[in-house]
């Protein structure tokens, strides 16, 4: 594969609109392309996706490659691996970036193997040093940071942690070429078939978009306790998040509420951690919150080391009067 100084981001779209992580890929991709004196290209896969190509330009792409095929209308690891691999072989980028999403996690290793390079997964920062991609990621459950440079490889491939990078401001005056490229997808080689898709219904504000998050952990004790957290979040105009414990215990309905290493990364203005110990796997997902307040009955809980404000108390005693006080203040 002949390489050039292109940074290629593998964008994702939903119903013709590029996703938030795609905008973040374009934001960091632009910086890397500048460091390589190269260009930033976006690859978008699917069917009927021209609008998302135009949106990618607005968010920073110098040019866009579209791969359109009925076999690519919905995500499938086999067909998408083939499409991304063949597109990379035609485009010849020196850096390939994907989101650390369901798709990115699934295909990055497969694509890297086929292209003969090393995938660095879930990066929280990317930079260029002497034409090499410097990839930063958290390891050992968030207890250490690894900096990875693939010096032997011509091609470098990384996935980025959602919400770790900043998108560019949209600029509709940006111009760029949109080109369709052809790939050959062999139907029998598609070993997995998508049987059905169920769209997750989100009541109220999405966790990723919430400016206030009320998060409950193992200390909440039952589903009823989470009802109290829902009331608190509603008054503050926020969303409820959780650790893995309440999900495992069945106190919350969905894994999409989990924040941390194996859940979501959030960056709210206010993060209220209630009955949460402060395990590194949880903190890695909320450490970028502007203000963190913890309520925990154990004064030695690790959460107090990372919080701006702490209340040592049983949440069942402090939360009902706190909710009443907030209600009264917000009503005035
Ligand atoms: C590979 C791996 C990935 C993981 N990924 C994640 C992840 O993405 N997200 C995540 O959250 N975890 C993750 N975990 C789990 C993580 O290690 C912790 O086990 C988990 O975060 C602990 O949750 P917790 O603090 O809510 O619960 P606990 O450890 O049960 O802590 C409960 C806390 O509540 C306090 N408490 C108890 N009762 C009350 C009360 N009435 N009022 C006030 N405080 C009270 C206690 O003092 C305690 O500090 C992962 C683990 C592994 C191994």
């Amino acid at each position: 594969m002949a390489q050039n100084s292109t940074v290629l981001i593998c964008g994702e779209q939903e119903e013709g609109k590029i996703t938030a992580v795609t905008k973040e890929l374009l934001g960091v991709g632009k910086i890397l392309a500048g460091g390589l004196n190269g260009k930033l290209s976006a690859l978008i896969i699917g069917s009927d996706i021209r609008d998302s190509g135009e949106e990618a330009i607005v968010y920073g792409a110098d040019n866009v490659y579209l791969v359109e095929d009925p076999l690519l209308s919905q995500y499938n690891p086999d067909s998408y691996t083939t499409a991304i691999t063949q597109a990379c072989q035609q485009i010849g980028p020196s850096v390939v970036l994907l989101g650390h999403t369901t798709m990115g996690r699934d295909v990055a290793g497969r694509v890297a193997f086929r292209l003969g390079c090393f995938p660095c997964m879930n990066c929280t920062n990317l930079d260029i040093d002497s034409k090499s991609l410097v990839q930063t990621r958290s390891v050992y459950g968030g207890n250490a940071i690894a900096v990875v440079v693939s010096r032997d490889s011509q091609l470098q491939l990384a996935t980025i942690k959602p919400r770790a990078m900043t998108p560019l401001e949209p600029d509709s005056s940006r111009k760029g070429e949109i080109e369709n490229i052809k790939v050959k997808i062999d139907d029998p080689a598609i070993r997995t078939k998508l049987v059905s898709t169920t769209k997750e219904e989100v009541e109220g504000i999405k966790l990723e978009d919430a400016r206030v998050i009320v998060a409950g952990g193992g200390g909440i004790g039952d589903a009823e306790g989470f009802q109290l957290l829902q009331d608190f979040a509603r008054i503050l105009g926020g969303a409820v998040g959780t650790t893995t414990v309440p999900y495992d215990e069945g106190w919350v309905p969905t894994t999409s509420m989990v924040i941390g290493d194996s859940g979501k990364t959030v960056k709210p203005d206010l993060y209220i951690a209630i009955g949460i110990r402060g395990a590194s796997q949880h903190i890695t997902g909320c450490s970028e919150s502007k203000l963190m307040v913890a309520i925990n009955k154990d004064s030695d809980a690790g959460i107090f080391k990372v919080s701006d404000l702490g209340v040592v108390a049983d949440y069942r005693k402090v939360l009902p009067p706190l909710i009443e006080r907030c209600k009264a203040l917000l009503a005035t």
Side-chain angles (χ1 to χ4, degrees):
M1 183 169 75
Q3 239 111 25
N4 50 54
S5 300
T6 298
V7 174
L8 180 71
I9 69 109
C10 297
E12 294 179 43
Q13 52 83 33
E14 278 167 14
E15 293 164 6
K17 293 252 167 244
I18 59 171
T19 57
V21 76
T22 303
K23 294 172 188 170
E24 292 158 24
L25 285 166
L26 289 162
V28 68
K30 197 78 177 171
I31 297 167
L32 302 181
L36 290 169
N37 290 324
K39 67 174 179 181
L40 173 63
S41 301
L43 172 68
I44 301 177
I45 293 173
S47 63
D48 200 12
I49 48 177
R50 191 148 187 110
D51 285 354
S52 37
E54 277 159 14
E55 203 186 357
I57 291 167
V58 169
Y59 277 90
D62 294 316
N63 70 322
V64 176
Y65 299 101
L66 301 181
V67 181
E68 294 191 89
D69 189 304
L71 288 173
L72 297 166
S73 61
Q74 274 177 319
Y75 172 65
N76 175 292
D78 297 320
S79 58
Y80 272 56
T81 298
T82 306
I84 295 171
T85 305
Q86 290 185 25
C88 288
Q89 284 161 341
Q90 291 178 48
I91 299 162
S94 46
V95 173
V96 177
L97 304 179
L98 299 103
H100 197 77
T101 56
T102 304
M103 180 192 102
R105 274 193 284 230
D106 226 12
V107 302
R110 301 167 201 233
V111 171
F113 174 76
R114 284 164 178 77
L115 296 175
C117 66
F118 165 78
C120 190
M121 307 294 283
N122 212 10
C123 296
T124 51
N125 194 33
L126 294 171
D127 206 349
I128 296 289
D129 179 26
S130 311
K131 302 280 174 201
S132 289
L133 185 64
V134 182
Q135 303 149 114
T136 304
R137 58 188 293 253
S138 93
V139 288
Y140 303 121
N143 286 312
I145 300 286
V147 180
V148 181
V149 181
S150 328
R151 292 217 186 272
D152 294 338
S153 176
Q154 292 290 304
L155 176 66
Q156 301 171 86
L157 185 147
T159 67
I160 68 155
K161 190 177 176 79
R163 298 189 77 81
M165 317 280 171
T166 310
L168 297 173
E169 282 301 317
D171 178 355
S172 51
S173 69
R174 281 197 189 103
K175 297 274 173 272
E177 205 180 306
I178 301 180
E179 188 185 329
N180 276 79
I181 56 174
K182 289 256 168 275
V183 297
K184 190 174 170 326
I185 294 165
D186 195 10
D187 202 359
I190 301 176
R191 293 158 297 175
T192 47
K193 302 275 177 228
L194 185 72
V195 180
S196 68
T197 313
T198 309
K199 206 165 182 176
E200 191 185 348
E201 299 295 336
V202 181
E203 247 181 64
I205 303 166
K206 272 170 82 178
L207 202 54
E208 304 87 305
D209 301 333
R211 295 181 64 188
V212 177
I213 292 177
V214 179
I220 298 302
D222 52 27
E224 219 172 89
F226 269 89
Q227 196 49 54
L228 201 58
L229 267 56
Q230 289 286 3
D231 294 344
F232 193 26
R234 202 167 19 249
I235 290 159
L236 300 176
V240 174
T242 186
T243 63
T244 44
V245 174
Y247 176 70
D248 293 342
E249 294 291 337
W251 305 334
V252 298
T254 156
T255 180
S256 67
M257 290 168 73
V258 174
I259 293 163
D261 217 17
S262 41
K264 289 185 173 160
T265 302
V266 294
K267 271 187 190 177
D269 293 341
L270 174 60
Y271 192 83
I272 307 172
I274 307 176
I276 293 178
R277 164 164 53 98
S280 60
Q281 293 93 348
H282 179 73
I283 298 305
T284 191
C286 57
S287 58
E288 296 290 312
S289 305
K290 282 197 190 139
L291 184 78
M292 192 183 290
V293 180
I295 302 174
N296 196 304
K297 67 178 185 185
D298 175 7
S299 60
D300 290 331
I303 191 79
F304 290 126
K305 294 198 180 110
V306 291
S307 305
D308 301 287
L309 295 168
V311 181
V312 180
D314 183 332
Y315 87 94
R316 290 185 197 273
K317 291 199 178 123
V318 292
L319 207 49
L322 185 60
I323 290 174
E324 288 312 313
R325 185 82 183 111
C326 288
K327 250 191 219 167
L329 283 172
L330 290 168
T332 56

